């Protein structure tokens, strides 16, 4: 164990999902030496391989309306969206789709059918309930996008190093100069020295069951935080849900467009969107749960559309195996927390200071789900913003990092700092007493995932959870033990999840209002203009500090407009 | 559990499933000849290994159990 392997590169990309691959390809185009490192297998891990759904595009020739799109994201994001970024995503989305086409990505429908796909998918009574989007949606095939991006990256000469768990960023004289990690196959130390580093390690999930992203443990945000970066948007949870009988089935992603009919436990119809709001949590908190996915309400046209969808798009094994047959209807109780721990994609992440994805740390760039670009503001505006946002921020980060690397000097690493990080990496393997990472993760799940902590919040309950998480931070994390390199990965992931939990709780406590996906029972209204602001957590003298960054005034809503018009959605008891 | 079986009769030892599993559940056996379920506790029921195995040697059950909660471990 612990023989050091050293890789030197111009641009290091940590995490090879959609964001990381786009970033690497863009940086490579600038004539640089680029390396992707991934803790699993780049192109086959993270959210990117799990995403079954939709790529967002914007093309006026397809009838898409710029102003309506900006208005839609702004109202939905409750004025916390970064409009500069939204303009960029709209402008650059089309080119990312053309990249997919030129690299050979397979789509589930013929190219001449893609333009109107979204409209034709919704038929019959569902059409009236379908989200009316001012932009376009390109359907994707399950597991057919990110592997092609990897192949493309390899083709253009990007070096890929798989199965290396990166634990920390390397810093020298205030500049970021690479990262360290280890192989969980051999246990060997790996040191990556780079002129510029891109963090694209995806989001944080508390190993929750239904999103197939248990591999994402907030490592990107945790290591950036430890290096001194600012982390934003942690108070806005993702609210995807799943079927109670099969909590590990990724139905939410495969079928979410089919989620159009819900009732409460008594059979009363409830209007809900598709995992981007809190309707299910509100119903359950009011004692009306479990919420039922009511397939009996589907009309024949809907059933046909769902069958078509599943045949072309979804993972064919899963639905069959759990015995779900849309043609026969049925009532399926739902559960929340499929993606518990995930904060709203493209809103939460490492704070970026410009539209080149630079962070507050020189030499560090952020892309994809771990990029805090605030694209969607207080509420995730699916579908399509996740993958397309990852591609666009990826390209921008790739360019930004390349520009930086071109004028940066050869990185030198401080041997003392390296020795310190090495000791931190292997400490859990040296311990003979302490706690197992699996058990600590389970305690964390039990503390954080219940609906009344993560989704229906109250200051007292957040404080109670924070007290436990602080105990875990101070007494359990420092005593995590690993028997082998596989468990060593688990110890670092567990520590990172605990750190992410603390960020979520502190940001949630700090925001003393409700907005978008952040609901505080004790503050059930939006509070303008006090909270026309973003939260940022940042390490200060070893402790977690929380800051407020005001939204620029020109992006505020018209405060003379009545509250009900500024905010069409009502919170319970506001 | 979740990943239930890798059929040693069918497995050709190609190693694809090892890379398909984001959770490091699957490893090759000591001789490097067959894939084995090494760390089943981490399985997240994603089916990726099963979908990618060229000879259908893997079966992933949709059942997922949670380990018992104990006071320390
Ligand atoms: C089930 C599901 C369905 C979805 N459906 C849609 C959809 O229909 N439309 C849409 O727009 N969005 C969708 N999304 C969201 C979208 O998939 C993500 O926003 C997007 O893929 C993020 O890409 P990324 O490259 O930033 O991160 P990821 O794809 O998560 O990539 C992160 C990579 O970093 C690696 N990594 C993590 N930690 C480390 C570490 N410590 N060291 C080294 N490597 C590390 C991981 O292994 C992974 O490969 C969905 C997400 C899920 C989970
Ligand atoms: S993918 Fe299938 S054949 Fe290949 S090693 Fe795994 S189980 Fe064996
Ligand atoms: S189902 Fe997924 S997590 Fe489980 S062994 Fe297969 S690839 Fe790994």
């Amino acid at each position: 164990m612990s023989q050091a392997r050293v890789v030197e590169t111009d641009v290091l990309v940590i995490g090879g999902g959609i964001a990381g691959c786009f970033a690497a390809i863009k940086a490579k185009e600038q004539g640089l030496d680029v390396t992707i490192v991934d803790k699993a297998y780049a192109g086959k891990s993270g959210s990117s391989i799990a995403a079954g759904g939709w790529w967002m595009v914007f093309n006026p020739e397809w009838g898409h309306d710029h102003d309506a799109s900006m208005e839609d994201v702004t109202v939905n994001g409750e004025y916390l969206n970064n409009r500069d970024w939204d303009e960029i995503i709209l402008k650059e989305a089309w080119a990312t789709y053309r990249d997919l086409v030129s690299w050979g990505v397979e789509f589930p429908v013929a190219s001449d059918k893609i333009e109107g796909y979204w409209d034709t998918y919704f038929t019959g009574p569902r059409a009236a309930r379908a989200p009316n989007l001012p932009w376009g949606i390109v359907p994707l095939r399950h597991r057919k996008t990110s592997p092609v991006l990897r192949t493309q990256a390899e083709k253009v000469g990007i070096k890929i190093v798989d199965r290396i768990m990166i634990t920390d960023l390397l810093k020298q004289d205030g500049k970021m100069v690479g990262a360290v990690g280890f192989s969980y196959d051999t246990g060997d130390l790996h040191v990556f020295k780079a002129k510029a580093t891109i963090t694209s390690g995806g989001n944080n999930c508390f190993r929750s069951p239904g999103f197939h992203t248990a591999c994402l443990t907030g490592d990107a945000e945790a290591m950036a935080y430890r290096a001194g970066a600012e982390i934003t948007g942690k108070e806005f949870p993702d609210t995807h849900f799943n079927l109670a009988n099969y909590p590990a089935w990724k139905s939410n992603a495969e079928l979410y467009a089919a989620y159009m009919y819900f009732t409460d436990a008594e059979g009363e119809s409830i209007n809900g969107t598709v995992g981007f709001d809190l309707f299910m949590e509100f119903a359950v908190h009011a004692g009306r749960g479990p919420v039922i996915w009511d397939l009996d309400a589907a009309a024949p046209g809907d059933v046909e559309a769902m069958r078509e969808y599943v045949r072309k798009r979804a993972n064919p094994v899963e639905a069959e195996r759990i015995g779900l047959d849309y043609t026969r209807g049925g009532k399926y109780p739902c559960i929340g927390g499929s993606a518990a721990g995930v904060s709203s994609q493209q809103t939460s992440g490492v704070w970026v200071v410009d539209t080149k994805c630079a962070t507050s740390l020189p030499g560090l760039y952020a892309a994809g789900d771990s990029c805090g670009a605030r694209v969607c503001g207080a509420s995730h505006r699916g579908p399509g913003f996740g993958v397309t946002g990852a591609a666009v921020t990826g390209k921008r980060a790739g360019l930004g990092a390349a520009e930086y690397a071109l004028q940066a000097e050869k990185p030198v690493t401080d041997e003392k700092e390296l020795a310190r990080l090495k000791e931190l990496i292997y400490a859990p393997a040296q311990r003979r007493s302490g706690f197992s990472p699996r058990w600590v993760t389970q305690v964390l799940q039990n503390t954080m995932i219940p609906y009344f902590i993560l989704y229906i919040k109250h200051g007292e309950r957040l404080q109670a959870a924070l007290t436990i998480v602080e105990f875990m931070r101070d007494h359990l994390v420092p005593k995590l033990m690993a028997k082998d390199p596989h468990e060593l990965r688990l110890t670092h992931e567990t520590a990172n999840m605990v750190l992410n939990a603390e960020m979520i709780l502190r940001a949630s406590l700090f925001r003393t209002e409700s907005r978008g996906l952040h609901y505080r029972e004790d503050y059930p209204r939006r509070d303008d203009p006090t909270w026309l602001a973003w939260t940022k957590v940042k390490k200060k003298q070893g402790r977690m500090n929380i800051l407020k960054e005001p939204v620029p005034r020109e992006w505020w809503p018209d405060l003379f407009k009545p509250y009900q018009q500024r905010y069409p959605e009502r919170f319970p008891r506001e | 559990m979740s990943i239930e079986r890798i059929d040693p009769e069918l497995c050709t030892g190609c190693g694809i499933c090892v890379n398909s599993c984001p959770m490091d559940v699957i490893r090759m056996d000591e001789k490097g000849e067959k894939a084995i379920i090494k760390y089943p506790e981490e399985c997240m029921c994603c089916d990726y290994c099963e979908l990618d195995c060229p000879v259908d040697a893997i079966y992933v059950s949709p059942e997922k159990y949670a380990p018992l909660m104990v006071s320390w471990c």
Side-chain angles (χ1 to χ4, degrees):
Chain A
M1 195 190 273
S2 83
Q3 195 195 331
R5 312 257 167 138
V6 182
V7 172
E8 287 197 35
T9 188
D10 292 328
V11 177
L12 174 68
V13 179
I14 307 170
I18 290 172
C21 287
F22 266 96
I25 291 168
K26 212 60 203 170
K28 184 77 198 172
E29 279 172 15
Q30 314 312 306
L32 294 174
D33 180 63
V34 182
T35 303
I36 295 177
V37 57
D38 200 290
K39 81 168 164 186
Y41 187 81
K44 281 202 180 189
S45 176
S47 297
S48 297
I49 192 72
W54 320 91
W55 197 275
M56 186 276 256
V57 291
F58 183 84
N59 180 356
E61 285 175 26
W62 282 9
H64 304 146
D65 183 330
H66 170 273
D67 293 354
S69 297
M70 288 299 291
E71 178 69 10
D72 183 295
V73 181
T74 303
V75 172
N76 183 75
E78 304 199 353
Y79 310 96
L80 294 195
N81 54 314
N82 180 323
R83 294 197 203 183
D84 290 343
W85 269 107
D86 296 331
E87 294 280 0
I88 287 170
I89 303 263
L90 290 180
K91 212 159 124 205
E92 298 178 9
W94 184 255
T96 64
Y97 162 57
R98 296 311 303 169
D99 289 336
L100 300 187
V101 174
S102 72
W103 298 336
V105 169
E106 277 176 55
F107 298 94
V109 292
S111 54
D112 61 332
K113 296 275 184 333
I114 287 179
E115 181 179 337
Y117 185 80
W118 182 255
D119 303 324
T120 55
Y121 174 62
F122 297 98
T123 59
R126 288 189 319 139
R129 301 195 194 189
N132 186 12
L133 301 176
W135 50 80
I137 290 295
V138 167
L140 300 174
R141 227 186 179 115
H142 186 239
R143 285 172 54 73
K144 294 286 188 228
T145 308
S146 53
V148 178
L149 303 187
R150 178 194 173 107
T151 307
Q152 181 63 22
E154 282 170 337
K155 207 160 119 189
V156 299
I158 289 158
K159 182 168 181 199
I160 301 182
V161 190
D162 298 307
R163 298 173 69 88
I164 303 295
M165 167 79 193
I166 296 294
T167 57
D168 271 298
L169 297 166
L170 272 175
K171 203 171 182 174
Q172 176 71 28
D173 301 327
K175 290 186 183 133
M176 307 317 293
V177 291
V180 291
F182 63 92
S183 156
Y184 48 82
D185 289 307
T186 63
D188 289 348
L189 180 72
H190 283 245
V191 180
F192 295 86
K193 299 184 180 182
K195 290 179 181 164
T197 304
I198 298 172
T199 171
S200 47
N203 53 37
N204 168 70
C205 153
F206 296 134
R207 301 224 195 281
S208 33
F211 229 41
H212 294 174
T213 51
C215 51
L216 299 175
T217 47
D219 306 344
E221 286 159 57
M223 63 182 104
Y225 170 85
R226 284 193 290 269
E230 299 164 331
I231 313 297
T232 188
K234 295 300 274 186
E235 68 274 39
F236 301 110
D238 180 290
T239 58
H240 279 84
F241 47 83
N242 215 324
L243 304 189
N245 291 351
Y246 314 103
W249 182 44
K250 193 167 57 67
S251 59
N252 42 34
E254 309 293 22
L255 274 179
Y256 82 80
Y259 279 131
M260 289 288 161
Y261 305 98
F262 294 100
T263 71
D264 66 10
E266 304 287 347
E268 188 129 341
S269 165
I270 316 183
N271 252 340
T273 62
V274 284
F276 308 125
D277 65 14
L278 289 159
F279 85 99
M280 205 171 268
E281 287 76 6
F282 291 147
V284 168
H285 190 47
R288 295 168 64 200
V291 172
I292 310 288
W293 181 31
D294 184 9
L295 265 178
D296 290 338
D302 300 332
V303 173
E304 197 36 55
M306 285 183 223
R307 188 164 44 195
E308 227 3 53
Y309 180 92
V310 171
R311 196 171 66 75
K312 286 189 182 141
R313 314 267 321 274
N315 171 354
V317 180
E318 290 190 292
E320 219 172 276
R321 190 161 293 161
I322 66 171
L324 187 97
D325 180 355
Y326 328 99
T327 57
R328 280 189 319 206
K331 294 189 196 304
Y332 295 87
C334 298
I335 44 151
S338 264
V342 175
S343 297
S344 201
Q345 300 144 358
Q346 307 306 321
T347 280
S348 72
V350 185
W351 179 269
V352 287
V353 297
D354 61 18
T355 50
K356 293 178 178 176
C357 294
T359 68
S360 58
L361 304 177
L364 183 69
Y365 292 74
D369 282 358
S370 53
C371 167
R374 294 92 74 207
V375 169
C376 293
S379 188
H380 182 56
R381 187 56 169 123
F385 270 83
V387 286
T388 309
V392 172
T393 54
K395 282 178 134 180
R396 292 238 153 199
L399 267 180
E403 203 177 288
Y404 179 92
L406 281 167
Q407 47 78 41
E409 283 157 28
K410 191 173 149 63
V412 269
T413 40
D414 175 351
E415 291 308 313
K416 247 170 77 186
E417 172 66 357
L418 210 52
R420 182 185 75 87
L421 292 174
K422 185 175 165 189
E423 202 177 309
L424 283 177
I425 288 178
Y426 294 108
Q430 314 291 323
R431 283 184 199 116
R432 313 236 151 182
S433 62
F435 301 100
S436 105
R438 295 188 182 99
W439 176 74
V440 176
T441 293
Q442 194 187 13
V443 176
L444 184 71
Q445 291 172 324
N446 285 314
T447 306
M448 293 298 292
I449 300 183
Y451 82 88
F452 53 84
I453 303 294
L454 210 44
Y455 307 102
I456 307 288
K457 301 169 186 169
H458 189 288
E460 287 171 8
R461 296 195 295 268
L462 291 170
Q463 189 54 58
L466 182 60
T467 304
I468 307 226
V469 166
E470 284 174 332
F471 178 85
M472 295 177 75
R473 178 196 68 195
D474 297 338
H475 296 272
L476 304 184
V477 168
K479 293 176 197 148
L480 283 166
M481 287 191 301
K483 286 199 293 288
D484 61 17
H486 169 87
E487 285 197 7
L488 192 59
R489 169 178 159 181
L490 300 184
T491 59
H492 288 282
E493 293 180 327
T494 302
N496 288 342
M497 286 189 278
V498 171
L499 182 55
N500 274 270
E502 186 180 347
M503 293 185 205
I504 291 171
L505 294 170
R506 288 198 193 279
S508 298
L509 270 165
F510 187 52
R511 185 177 284 283
T512 47
E513 65 152 3
S514 293
R515 188 179 296 268
L517 291 162
H518 169 74
Y519 175 59
R520 286 277 301 257
E521 274 190 293
D522 44 350
Y523 296 95
R525 278 171 73 84
R526 288 94 175 163
D527 185 357
D528 293 345
T530 314
W531 278 109
L532 289 168
W534 295 292
T535 61
K536 297 200 278 195
V537 293
K538 186 179 178 355
K539 196 169 73 173
K540 198 175 165 195
Q541 284 150 357
R543 301 199 70 83
M544 195 177 286
N545 202 28
I546 183 141
L547 314 161
K548 193 168 171 183
E549 175 85 24
V551 170
R553 241 167 208 276
E554 63 271 25
W555 295 347
W556 285 14
D558 177 359
L559 296 182
F560 289 108
K561 235 175 150 181
Y563 178 86
Q564 315 271 337
Q565 280 177 29
R566 256 178 284 153
Y567 300 105
E569 299 292 330
R570 298 277 73 77
F571 286 111
R573 290 194 282 168
E574 72 171 282
Chain B
M1 195 63 259
S2 14
I3 178 165
E4 235 172 58
R5 189 174 70 238
I6 300 180
D7 189 334
E9 300 289 307
L10 292 174
C11 174
T12 63
C14 70
I16 289 175
C17 56
V18 176
N19 284 334
S20 293
C21 176
M23 300 302 289
D24 190 27
V25 170
I26 307 174
R27 294 279 183 101
M28 298 310 285
D29 65 11
E30 287 197 346
K31 290 195 219 140
E33 286 171 359
K34 303 275 172 193
I36 52 163
I37 304 172
K38 182 90 188 276
Y39 300 104
E41 299 95 320
E42 269 66 68
C43 180
M44 61 170 168
C45 287
C46 64
D47 288 342
Y48 299 163
C49 52
E50 180 176 331
L51 289 167
D52 284 356
C53 173
V55 296
D56 278 342
I58 304 178
Y59 176 76
V60 180
S61 139
E63 305 295 327
K64 191 166 174 94
Y65 79 86
L68 288 180
M69 186 73 197
V70 294
S71 25
W72 67 82
C73 178

